[in-house]
Amino acid sequence: MAAKSSQTMTIPTDAELVQAQADLWRHSLSYLTPMALSCAIQLGIPTAIHRLGGAASLPDLVTTLSLPPSKAPFLGRLLRLLSSTGVLASNEAGVYSLVPLSYLLVDGVRIDGDASQTALVLAVTSRHYMEAAMGLADWFKKDIAQPVPSPFEEVDGAALFEESMAVLDPECDKLFNEALAAHDHMGIGTILRECHGLFSGLQSLTDCCGGDGTTARAIVKAFPHIKCNVLDLPRVINKAPSDGLVNYIAGDM
């Protein structure tokens, strides 16, 4: 029989309980931050601010986004949340401006590659991700035969980046792949500029799960002597550009 622990929990002080209550609210409501960010992308707020010269007031955005005037107070709440979480900057005059984070979400702005960073936010706030998260407790309780599927696979009956996802929801499958590309492509330009020594003496490389080859093509353009291969699923390779810069190989790791 296991020995009983002699330790007892110290009763929290009033100050600690007040802080705990504040922390509990903060954790419970933190889901609103990514949902607000997703809403801002779908409304086109970062792009609107960019087109207005990098700064805009609440009335400016209501007009530019063609929103009903009755929604202005609610848009103001959304903007204040985005400002308080560092997605936007604001001043006392109620003017909102872009920061480096929101600059990544402006339509048409390319950062070290061709993939839009908005896809990453929209993917992880999609209904498939949300439903998988909401079913997490049920997933833990269920006795599932090996191999144990992920919560996402258990709820949706499909796997990310597999043909099953394309069959289940072609639009979301496209979004998930765009998000993966955004993740892979972000920063490659900085690596090529600042860490070029990494490629010294390298004659060839293979980008496994390299998607459309954006990263590999960037490497070849910066270092023409390197022979680059891209390995990915046949359905991905079949859609890759045939510009001759890299060699595409269809396969499954």
Side-chain angles (χ1 to χ4, degrees):
M1 180 179 294
K4 292 184 178 180
S5 173
S6 60
Q7 295 181 347
T8 58
M9 180 178 176
T10 303
I11 298 177
T13 65
D14 287 346
E16 288 173 332
L17 287 173
V18 170
Q19 182 60 53
Q21 179 75 5
D23 290 340
L24 183 62
W25 277 75
R26 176 170 54 85
H27 289 303
S28 299
L29 296 173
S30 61
Y31 75 95
L32 290 172
T33 299
M35 301 313 295
L37 183 56
S38 176
C39 177
I41 292 172
Q42 295 179 65
L43 291 177
I45 290 175
T47 301
I49 294 176
H50 184 262
R51 291 175 178 171
L52 290 168
S57 65
L58 174 59
D60 291 336
L61 288 171
V62 171
T63 301
T64 303
L65 299 173
S66 300
L67 298 179
S70 61
K71 297 298 176 63
F74 305 99
L75 180 63
R77 295 180 186 180
L78 177 65
L79 293 170
R80 288 195 296 274
L81 175 57
L82 295 172
S83 177
S84 67
T85 53
V87 177
L88 296 173
S90 63
N91 60 24
E92 294 181 357
V95 175
Y96 297 89
S97 56
L98 299 179
V99 297
L101 188 159
S102 45
Y103 183 76
L104 295 176
L105 307 175
V106 175
D107 288 345
V109 172
R110 303 301 181 187
I111 308 294
D112 289 342
D114 297 328
S116 171
Q117 295 300 308
T118 60
L120 190 61
V121 178
L122 296 177
V124 299
T125 55
S126 67
R127 68 177 183 86
H128 293 292
Y129 268 86
M130 294 296 102
E131 289 171 356
M134 293 174 67
L136 196 55
D138 290 336
W139 178 84
F140 270 107
K141 295 175 184 177
K142 187 180 293 186
D143 187 7
I144 307 174
Q146 299 285 347
V148 177
S150 69
F152 187 99
E153 294 170 319
E154 172 68 15
V155 171
D156 292 304
L160 286 169
F161 313 118
E162 299 289 346
E163 189 67 34
S164 56
M165 190 67 224
V167 173
L168 174 68
D169 191 332
E171 186 175 341
C172 272
D173 178 64
K174 180 175 181 291
L175 178 64
F176 294 155
N177 279 281
E178 289 175 352
L180 179 62
H183 173 274
D184 290 346
H185 300 165
M186 188 61 189
I188 184 61
T190 301
I191 293 174
L192 294 176
R193 290 189 298 271
E194 304 296 334
C195 307
H196 49 80
L198 292 173
F199 300 91
S200 178
L202 193 64
Q203 297 300 314
S204 66
L205 64 84
T206 298
D207 186 358
C208 296
C209 303
D212 61 3
T214 297
T215 299
R217 291 200 304 276
I219 293 174
V220 171
K221 289 178 180 178
F223 305 96
H225 68 281
I226 298 179
K227 178 182 178 181
C228 278
N229 302 306
V230 172
L231 171 66
D232 214 315
L233 297 172
R235 69 185 185 91
V236 176
I237 294 301
N238 291 340
K239 299 177 183 178
S242 56
D243 52 18
L245 283 176
V246 300
N247 178 41
Y248 292 94
I249 303 170
D252 188 345
M253 291 185 63

